[in-house]
Amino acid sequence: MRIMLKMSYNGKDFHGFQYQHNYRTVQGVIEAVLTKMHKSGVRIHPASRTDRGVHALEQYCHFDTSLNLTTDKWHYVLNRNLPDDIGITGVTEIPDDFHVRYHSKGKTYRYSIYTSEAVNPFLHGLKTHYPHKLDKTRMREAMAPFMGTHDFTSFSSAKAEIVNKVRTITEFRIEETDDGFDFVISGSGFLYNMVRIIVAYVVEVGAGKRAPETGEIIGQKDRTIVPRTAPAEGLYLERVHLDEGF
Amino acid sequence: MRIMLKMSYNGKDFHGFQYQHNYRTVQGVIEAVLTKMHKSGVRIHPASRTDRGVHALEQYCHFDTSLNLTTDKWHYVLNRNLPDDIGITGVTEIPDDFHVRYHSKGKTYRYSIYTSEAVNPFLHGLKTHYPHKLDKTRMREAMAPFMGTHDFTSFSSAKAEIVNKVRTITEFRIEETDDGFDFVISGSGFLYNMVRIIVAYVVEVGAGKRAPETGEIIGQKDRTIVPRTAPAEGLYLERVHLDEGF
């Protein structure tokens, strides 16, 4: 039987999703609980591997099990045994040929910054502090050209090994919050660090530190033009767009 | 010259205020920065020693220095060098005979709980999760008799070494929040774990797990009647009431 978990987690105290020996990871913590329940190793497969410090408001993973539990029972037992920085929000039985990573059409990320002059200790690890006045009109000007299908070489980590860097952005908007701005960006897929590099660029434009020349930068396909990467702590995987019916 | 710092901190990743060898504490982190600046050991003295995991919205400490910096410069340099879970919110030069601990008339604490059924991973370490329906009228009935001057033996840790357990409570109110309740309690002084024991009792009354018999319990001067202590993560030192003029 294949079980899919819907979950959220606070990434602050995790070294990312993926299992790492000797480090606390989301995969490691969930697999430890499942392995104890099954009395043998269980491997989970996520929709998306979030990096160290990155949060998830909605994330999915699946695993195969021989245990005969109702979805309600799975829900209860997992939340009961998982630490408080992970919450299981849904459990579904799925077909054996369904794979959460390959059956998703895209993702939405949220990037959250606060701009007050003073640090707020209670946002530590949860929002990025950027104590500068940001011009929303300038940021919107920088954001608009990202929409659509482009080669995002200029906005992806130079370490990325993927050859095809063409991706499609379907939504990129800004929301004013009590203490700053949230950026919401959706697309078919994202390159390594792509959201964090795009946000770092847009914010620098908003602060008047660079000009809005998004179209030109995309055209040059050169990462060195956009050297900064916004910190992980402000990044949330907000939604995974699964195929119809899931 | 004696300098007083006003500050707030997120207690989640600290083993309390007081210095401990090999553990990250608020005192340890601040003294490390000051010692580096002075090139010799500097000792700070707090208004209140908060326990492991307890937060401060407003806390004070003072230290003596031979450095000749303006208060603005102290403010800037300390925030620049302290981690993001501590924020210095004010710096004042005070008389050499002023001691923040002995020149305070009382303190206000806030205890924050959320009552939703599901855990919220983003409140981990910041609010206490108590997934039960709480009856505000019952809680108010349990809270009222705490006001005034009493011997609080029944509501203090059995480990407390202090002989005189008479304290005066000047305010005890409840605030409804988006996801639960905050308790606000002020007094001239508090015994070890006193706020957390009082809150654990009031919440059990609110959940219908015990009767509101505050007056009787105070009268019996016996800690075993109130065995629970609410977790540190929901507790905030909200205000230190310094003597007039500070």
Side-chain angles (χ1 to χ4, degrees):
Chain A
M1 193 188 294
R2 183 161 287 188
I3 296 289
M4 178 172 75
L5 307 178
K6 185 178 174 181
M7 60 188 157
S8 65
Y9 48 83
N10 180 338
K12 179 177 175 295
D13 295 338
F14 290 108
H15 280 244
F17 190 94
Q18 194 171 16
Y19 180 83
Q20 285 182 63
H21 190 59
N22 284 337
Y23 286 100
R24 185 174 188 262
T25 67
V26 177
Q27 182 174 8
V29 163
I30 295 176
E31 287 182 353
V33 171
L34 290 173
T35 295
K36 204 168 165 191
M37 290 174 70
H38 289 78
K39 298 182 178 70
S40 65
V42 176
R43 172 67 54 92
I44 64 170
H45 303 272
S48 179
R49 287 192 300 237
T50 51
D51 284 332
R52 179 176 176 182
V54 174
H55 316 286
L57 296 164
E58 178 183 297
Q59 160 79 296
Y60 295 89
C61 70
H62 74 255
F63 60 92
D64 293 321
T65 181
S66 53
L67 298 183
N68 192 18
L69 301 181
T70 62
T71 51
D72 280 356
K73 186 76 181 167
W74 276 114
H75 198 142
Y76 176 81
V77 171
L78 288 172
N79 273 336
R80 181 102 201 161
N81 287 284
L82 286 169
D84 275 2
D85 47 357
I86 304 183
I88 303 297
T89 55
V91 181
T92 322
E93 194 185 328
I94 56 172
D96 281 352
D97 59 353
F98 185 89
H99 190 296
V100 286
R101 186 158 164 215
Y102 303 117
H103 289 81
S104 77
K105 294 172 301 192
K107 289 181 275 190
T108 298
Y109 284 96
R110 176 177 294 268
Y111 196 96
S112 204
I113 63 174
Y114 71 106
T115 56
S116 59
E117 199 188 324
V119 160
N120 179 342
F122 301 100
L123 297 179
H124 175 59
L126 294 176
K127 278 197 182 196
T128 296
H129 183 222
Y130 192 77
H132 299 278
K133 198 167 159 41
L134 298 178
D135 181 329
K136 210 160 84 171
T137 308
R138 273 175 73 92
M139 291 196 284
R140 286 211 166 112
E141 198 186 325
M143 288 161 66
F146 284 108
M147 291 291 289
T149 303
H150 309 283
D151 182 316
F152 282 100
T153 300
S154 296
F155 291 94
S156 77
S157 169
K159 282 184 278 179
E161 285 162 20
I162 286 167
V163 175
N164 178 2
K165 296 190 174 173
V166 175
R167 294 293 184 276
T168 300
I169 300 297
T170 55
E171 173 187 36
F172 193 10
R173 61 191 167 81
I174 192 165
E175 289 178 7
E176 270 188 83
T177 60
D178 285 350
D179 53 10
F181 296 95
D182 279 10
F183 299 93
V184 179
I185 186 165
S186 302
S188 56
F190 293 90
L191 300 165
Y192 188 57
N193 277 353
M194 180 171 150
V195 175
R196 292 164 57 185
I197 296 166
I198 290 175
V199 167
Y201 159 75
V202 170
V203 161
E204 287 206 317
V205 171
K209 294 183 180 178
R210 63 185 300 160
E213 324 175 288
T214 309
E216 295 86 324
I217 297 170
I218 290 174
Q220 290 178 50
K221 299 178 194 168
D222 176 3
R223 169 70 214 268
T224 61
I225 313 169
V226 193
R228 292 189 197 284
T229 303
E233 62 186 337
L235 186 60
Y236 293 76
L237 176 58
E238 174 154 290
R239 239 193 105 191
V240 176
H241 305 272
L242 296 181
D243 288 349
E244 301 298 331
F246 292 98
Chain B
M1 194 188 295
R2 184 162 286 189
I3 296 289
M4 178 171 75
L5 306 178
K6 184 178 175 182
M7 61 189 157
S8 65
Y9 49 82
N10 180 338
K12 179 176 176 293
D13 296 337
F14 290 107
H15 279 244
F17 190 94
Q18 194 170 16
Y19 180 84
Q20 286 182 61
H21 190 59
N22 284 338
Y23 286 100
R24 185 174 188 263
T25 67
V26 177
Q27 181 174 8
V29 163
I30 294 176
E31 287 183 353
V33 171
L34 290 172
T35 295
K36 205 168 162 190
M37 289 174 71
H38 289 78
K39 299 184 177 69
S40 66
V42 175
R43 173 64 56 92
I44 63 171
H45 303 271
S48 179
R49 285 191 302 236
T50 52
D51 283 333
R52 179 177 176 181
V54 174
H55 315 286
L57 296 163
E58 178 183 297
Q59 160 79 296
Y60 294 89
C61 70
H62 73 255
F63 60 93
D64 293 322
T65 181
S66 53
L67 297 184
N68 192 18
L69 300 181
T70 62
T71 52
D72 280 356
K73 186 75 181 171
W74 276 114
H75 198 143
Y76 175 82
V77 171
L78 288 171
N79 273 335
R80 180 104 201 163
N81 287 284
L82 286 168
D84 274 2
D85 46 359
I86 305 183
I88 302 297
T89 53
V91 181
T92 323
E93 194 184 329
I94 55 172
D96 280 354
D97 60 353
F98 184 90
H99 191 295
V100 287
R101 187 160 164 212
Y102 304 117
H103 290 81
S104 78
K105 295 173 300 192
K107 288 182 275 189
T108 298
Y109 284 97
R110 176 177 293 268
Y111 196 95
S112 203
I113 63 173
Y114 71 105
T115 56
S116 59
E117 199 189 325
V119 160
N120 179 343
F122 301 100
L123 296 179
H124 174 60
L126 295 176
K127 278 197 181 196
T128 296
H129 183 221
Y130 192 77
H132 299 278
K133 198 169 159 39
L134 298 179
D135 181 328
K136 210 160 83 172
T137 308
R138 273 176 73 90
M139 290 196 284
R140 285 210 166 114
E141 198 186 323
M143 287 160 66
F146 284 107
M147 291 290 291
T149 302
H150 309 282
D151 181 315
F152 282 100
T153 300
S154 295
F155 292 94
S156 77
S157 170
K159 282 183 278 178
E161 285 161 22
I162 286 168
V163 176
N164 178 3
K165 297 191 176 175
V166 175
R167 295 292 183 277
T168 301
I169 301 296
T170 54
E171 173 187 36
F172 193 10
R173 61 191 167 82
I174 191 164
E175 289 178 6
E176 270 189 83
T177 60
D178 285 349
D179 54 10
F181 296 96
D182 279 9
F183 299 93
V184 179
I185 187 165
S186 302
S188 57
F190 293 89
L191 299 165
Y192 188 57
N193 278 352
M194 181 171 151
V195 175
R196 291 165 57 184
I197 296 166
I198 290 176
V199 167
Y201 159 74
V202 170
V203 161
E204 287 206 318
V205 170
K209 294 182 179 180
R210 64 184 300 161
E213 326 174 286
T214 309
E216 295 87 323
I217 298 171
I218 289 175
Q220 291 178 51
K221 298 180 195 169
D222 175 3
R223 168 71 213 268
T224 62
I225 313 168
V226 193
R228 293 189 197 284
T229 303
E233 61 186 338
L235 185 60
Y236 293 76
L237 176 58
E238 174 154 289
R239 238 193 107 190
V240 176
H241 305 272
L242 295 182
D243 288 349
E244 302 298 332
F246 292 99

